[in-house]
Amino acid sequence: MKKIILFICIALLIITACSNSKEAPVKAREGLKYKDKLQLSIWLPEWQNKSAIEDVKNSQQGLQDIHVFGAYFNENDQFLFTEDAIETLKQTQQQFNESHHVILTLINDYVTDNAPIVQKDSALLHRLFQDASSRQRHINNIMQVVEQYNVNGIEIDYEKVAKEDISKYVQFIEELYEQLLKKDVSLHVVLEPEFPFNVKLPNGPKYTVMAYNVHGYHSGPGAKATFSFLNDLVKKIKKSNQKLAIAFSTGGFQWVNQGKTVALTEVEAEDLLNKTKAVKHRDQASGAAYFTFLDEQNVKHEVWYADLETLKKWTAHVQKRSYHEVVLWRAGGLSSKTLQWINEQSKE
């Protein structure tokens, strides 16, 4: 009898040792593997909807969410939709609603008939957030849009929020989330790199930080993002109480000596490279591609842009720092190689 009891005890010890093994169960290992897998989403610009939708068609297997950009504001602080925006949203919903989460992006650009467009209008945001009644009016406006266009996700891309309006902005996010939750509509929020990430953000919404605009219309030639910029950004967003997705910008710019700066898609930059027979270089500090050429008037042009290799380098850089959710600005004008790479990041 004693031998039987001893045998049972030894058997139990062996089973316990096996169950406490450091090797995770198969399902747990698969979960960890998926957690570390690159997850890509993308924006569709309403002003380039045909090529943007075509890009999504050719890369949809690798996409998580699809963000339709979007809705602006009129002189009454109400939402303004262009015909292209309505058509883009309609086509995106028809073609991708069954397979993807389609999100409508709202932008604080102020558009009136008799004045220039005010991009990322801080004064507009101050009016929208200034008190409980103004916030509720704005939320009611958003809920009307949700009902009218039957969207299953809303994204707030409100930039240049004044320092004195930050707390009211955060309160607005919380109040909006509670209203959208009742309708089973998700809330997504885009934050600028300058946002004070030590501010506590409401739980529930999904947050994305912009990781670009290092160089652009406001500067001389250079990459939209550099590795040192990404390192600094990661340090800042680690202060946040939320886990953020990171947004990278495709394409780039052409700087003309003593002239106008022009935005280019990846395809436009590659076409210009081939047309001018320039030499393509790779910047070590950013991974971006760049080249220069002289036009017929002997004026120097300098082009910097993100190609497939750039995007791979940027995503790998943040993945090493445990950020695996990436949103791309934007579809439309992506190369076939980039589309193939996106498609390979299967969402399954």
Side-chain angles (χ1 to χ4, degrees):
M1 187 68 178
K2 289 182 179 179
K3 288 183 178 180
I4 294 172
I5 294 171
L6 181 62
F7 174 78
I8 292 171
C9 290
I10 292 171
L12 287 171
L13 285 170
I14 292 170
I15 292 169
T16 303
C18 289
S19 65
N20 289 334
S21 169
K22 290 182 179 179
E23 185 176 359
V26 173
K27 285 188 177 180
R29 291 202 305 272
E30 288 176 352
L32 288 170
K33 184 178 179 182
Y34 180 77
K35 186 179 178 183
D36 293 343
K37 181 180 174 61
L38 179 61
Q39 299 175 52
L40 292 176
S41 298
I42 203 163
W43 278 287
L44 279 75
E46 50 93 4
W47 61 87
Q48 200 173 4
N49 55 6
K50 290 182 180 179
S51 62
I53 289 174
E54 193 65 27
D55 278 0
V56 172
K57 283 182 183 177
N58 293 323
S59 62
Q60 60 181 302
Q61 292 301 319
L63 292 172
Q64 306 287 323
D65 298 339
I66 300 173
H67 306 244
V68 177
F69 191 97
Y72 313 104
F73 286 85
N74 63 20
E75 65 275 6
N76 298 317
D77 294 353
Q78 299 287 307
F79 287 113
L80 171 68
F81 287 83
T82 65
E83 290 183 6
D84 285 339
I86 294 171
E87 185 63 23
T88 303
L89 180 60
K90 179 182 175 182
Q91 289 189 32
T92 304
Q93 289 174 322
Q94 288 175 345
Q95 298 183 47
F96 306 111
N97 245 0
E98 293 298 318
S99 56
H100 295 76
H101 193 62
V102 177
I103 300 156
L104 174 64
T105 303
L106 313 176
I107 309 104
N108 62 312
D109 285 2
Y110 192 66
V111 183
T112 57
D113 290 334
N114 302 315
I117 295 173
V118 181
Q119 294 185 328
K120 311 304 179 283
D121 190 354
S122 299
L124 166 67
L125 297 182
H126 181 74
R127 294 195 299 272
L128 297 177
F129 303 149
Q130 60 184 329
D131 55 40
S133 60
S134 63
R135 290 195 301 274
Q136 189 57 55
R137 278 196 303 273
H138 184 41
I139 290 171
N140 290 343
N141 192 197
I142 293 173
M143 300 310 293
Q144 289 170 2
V145 168
V146 168
E147 292 292 331
Q148 182 177 356
Y149 295 102
N150 195 28
V151 298
N152 50 31
I154 285 289
E155 181 171 62
I156 302 299
D157 182 11
Y158 294 170
E159 300 173 28
K160 295 184 180 177
V161 183
K163 187 177 180 180
E164 60 269 23
D165 291 327
I166 291 290
S167 61
K168 294 175 183 177
Y169 175 52
V170 171
Q171 193 170 357
F172 159 74
I173 292 171
E174 185 170 7
E175 292 164 352
L176 175 59
Y177 174 74
E178 290 173 357
Q179 293 298 309
L180 291 173
L181 187 62
K182 295 175 183 177
K183 298 289 185 179
D184 196 27
V185 175
S186 63
L187 177 60
H188 307 251
V189 180
V190 179
L191 301 173
E192 294 179 276
E194 298 80 17
F195 186 83
F197 291 100
N198 58 323
V199 171
K200 187 176 180 181
L201 293 167
N203 294 325
K206 190 172 181 179
Y207 299 90
T208 300
V209 60
M210 299 162 52
Y212 48 91
N213 286 347
V214 175
H215 294 89
Y217 291 115
H218 61 284
S219 71
K224 288 189 175 183
T226 63
F227 297 126
S228 62
F229 163 75
L230 295 178
N231 290 340
D232 291 341
L233 182 61
V234 167
K235 287 179 184 177
K236 285 196 279 188
I237 64 178
K238 283 189 181 297
K239 298 175 184 177
S240 178
N241 66 312
Q242 302 292 339
K243 183 73 173 179
L244 284 78
I246 294 182
F248 291 125
S249 182
T250 62
F253 291 93
Q254 176 184 184
W255 284 268
V256 183
N257 194 28
Q258 305 293 323
K260 187 179 179 182
T261 301
V262 180
L264 298 173
T265 66
E266 181 190 6
V267 168
E268 288 170 340
E270 294 282 354
D271 287 348
L272 190 58
L273 174 68
N274 295 329
K275 180 182 177 181
T276 60
K277 296 181 172 58
V279 178
K280 182 177 180 178
H281 302 280
R282 181 77 52 189
D283 178 48
Q284 296 302 311
S286 65
Y290 69 96
F291 61 91
T292 61
F293 66 92
L294 298 176
D295 62 21
E296 294 175 351
Q297 284 73 43
N298 212 36
V299 175
K300 182 182 177 183
H301 296 240
E302 188 166 348
V303 176
W304 287 70
Y305 67 104
D307 60 4
L308 173 57
E309 187 172 340
T310 311
L311 293 177
K312 283 183 174 181
K313 287 179 181 292
W314 286 346
T315 53
H317 193 80
V318 296
Q319 279 195 285
K320 288 177 183 176
R321 288 148 182 82
S322 300
Y323 290 89
H324 304 285
E325 292 185 59
V326 168
V327 189
L328 297 177
W329 172 261
R330 59 182 175 79
L334 297 176
S335 72
S336 58
K337 290 182 179 178
T338 296
L339 293 172
Q340 182 181 349
W341 172 72
I342 295 172
N343 216 33
E344 290 168 355
Q345 315 304 315
S346 175
K347 70 187 185 75
E348 300 299 332

